[in-house]
Amino acid sequence: AVRTHSDLKVGEYSNLEVSASWTKEKWNLEFTKHQVLVMTCYVALNVLKNGYLSLSDINLLVFDECHLAILDHPYREIMKLCENCPSCPRILGLTASILNGKCDPEELEEKIQKLEKILKSNAETATDLVVLDRYTSQPCEIVVDCGPFTDRSGLYERLLMELEEALNFINDCNISVHSKERDSTLISKQILSDCRAVLVVLGPWCADKVAGMMVRELQKHIKHEQEELHRKFLLFTDTFLRK
């Protein structure tokens, strides 16, 4: 991309094993020949740590996918080297998603500030929504209003009765729980109650899809559960949802 859109001489370095065996003289030759050096973060970290290239010789340091700097990543190591450099280069971080993974809205500002601090930069994004619209997809949105659900086959009533019987069975189980112990029935009650709520609000088809998701979730709990009684209730719920 840099070659296409500019007349700058660009060097590419992606193989750490090959470049790690290069001498300082070989690197000096590369620096003399090229104005822009495009390399993986591991190659860059190796070059800087070994002193083949000084940060003071760099005008601009560009990090692609810069949100990775929040994690334990070579970007973080490179920025630590910048902290000890009296003449640190300018830094440009590029990313399509300023966050790595999920984030609660109240944590957003804190995470952006953390990224700004690590990269010694200010976060900038598009504020003009009209301009932004040119680059985003334009889906055709249609609202479909469904009429009242009619249980012609009796499936809804049957499923509702089965779910309520299973919940009643768990509630009727007389288990003594000490304050410090986990409730053996807690996960089963929660899952069955959620399935019942989906059935009542959205009908049998959606309840079936949710039951499939819950079965996959239960498999994780069953796999890691050590307590026999807890395991029995999880297996009971798993068998019921499969049915």
Side-chain angles (χ1 to χ4, degrees):
V2 176
R3 278 201 196 101
T4 303
H5 298 289
S6 75
D7 58 357
L8 299 169
K9 294 184 177 68
V10 183
E12 292 178 63
Y13 316 94
S14 57
N15 193 322
L16 180 59
E17 287 183 19
V18 172
S19 59
S21 62
W22 288 1
T23 61
K24 188 166 185 175
E25 287 71 29
K26 167 68 175 166
W27 276 113
N28 284 336
L29 188 65
E30 293 296 313
F31 303 147
T32 307
K33 281 196 301 184
H34 304 109
Q35 295 160 296
V36 180
L37 309 168
V38 180
M39 54 184 73
T40 65
C41 53
Y42 296 99
V43 173
L45 185 59
N46 180 58
V47 167
L48 291 168
K49 272 191 166 178
N50 286 315
Y52 297 145
L53 175 64
S54 170
L55 281 165
S56 56
D57 293 331
I58 301 170
N59 291 311
L60 176 67
L61 195 56
V62 182
F63 292 101
D64 195 22
E65 304 293 347
C66 69
H67 60 271
L68 295 171
I70 283 185
L71 308 171
D72 185 15
H73 189 271
Y75 284 173
R76 197 84 174 261
E77 293 288 308
I78 291 168
M79 286 311 302
K80 282 179 184 172
L81 295 174
C82 285
E83 284 174 17
N84 303 319
C85 176
S87 53
C88 184
R90 290 188 177 194
I91 290 158
L92 172 65
L94 305 173
T95 178
S97 59
I98 204 159
L99 299 172
N100 192 42
K102 294 178 182 176
C103 168
D104 291 329
E106 58 268 21
E107 295 174 3
L108 181 61
E109 187 176 4
E110 184 189 335
K111 290 209 171 187
I112 292 173
Q113 285 173 349
K114 185 179 178 185
L115 188 61
E116 286 179 325
K117 188 178 178 184
I118 291 168
L119 293 175
K120 299 181 182 299
S121 306
N122 295 321
E124 290 286 345
T125 187
T127 52
D128 187 343
L129 296 179
V130 177
V131 173
L132 201 61
D133 271 350
R134 293 183 205 159
Y135 306 102
T136 57
S137 57
Q138 302 291 332
C140 176
E141 297 180 13
I142 301 167
V143 176
V144 181
D145 186 16
C146 299
F149 172 67
T150 320
D151 186 28
R152 293 192 184 91
S153 65
L155 178 63
Y156 169 83
E157 286 297 333
R158 169 90 189 275
L159 291 173
L160 187 61
M161 184 183 72
E162 294 267 1
L163 276 164
E164 286 180 343
E165 282 182 4
L167 275 164
N168 289 337
F169 168 76
I170 291 175
N171 286 324
D172 288 344
C173 290
N174 190 9
I175 304 160
S176 59
V177 180
H178 298 293
S179 58
K180 290 182 181 178
E181 289 181 5
R182 288 181 297 148
D183 181 357
S184 304
T185 64
L186 187 65
I187 292 171
S188 297
K189 282 178 185 173
Q190 186 64 57
I191 285 176
L192 293 173
S193 297
D194 288 349
C195 284
R196 185 188 181 284
V198 170
L199 175 66
V200 170
V201 177
L202 299 171
W205 188 85
C206 291
D208 174 54
K209 295 296 168 191
V210 167
M213 289 163 59
M214 295 298 191
V215 163
R216 289 192 290 276
E217 199 62 35
L218 274 165
Q219 289 302 306
K220 296 175 192 172
H221 287 292
I222 292 166
K223 187 178 178 183
H224 297 109
E225 186 54 69
Q226 303 295 321
E227 192 69 41
E228 187 60 31
L229 188 59
H230 289 54
R231 193 177 166 81
K232 280 181 178 175
F233 276 107
L234 293 173
L235 287 166
F236 163 79
T237 311
D238 179 69
T239 305
F240 173 79
L241 289 180
R242 287 172 188 274
K243 184 180 79 170

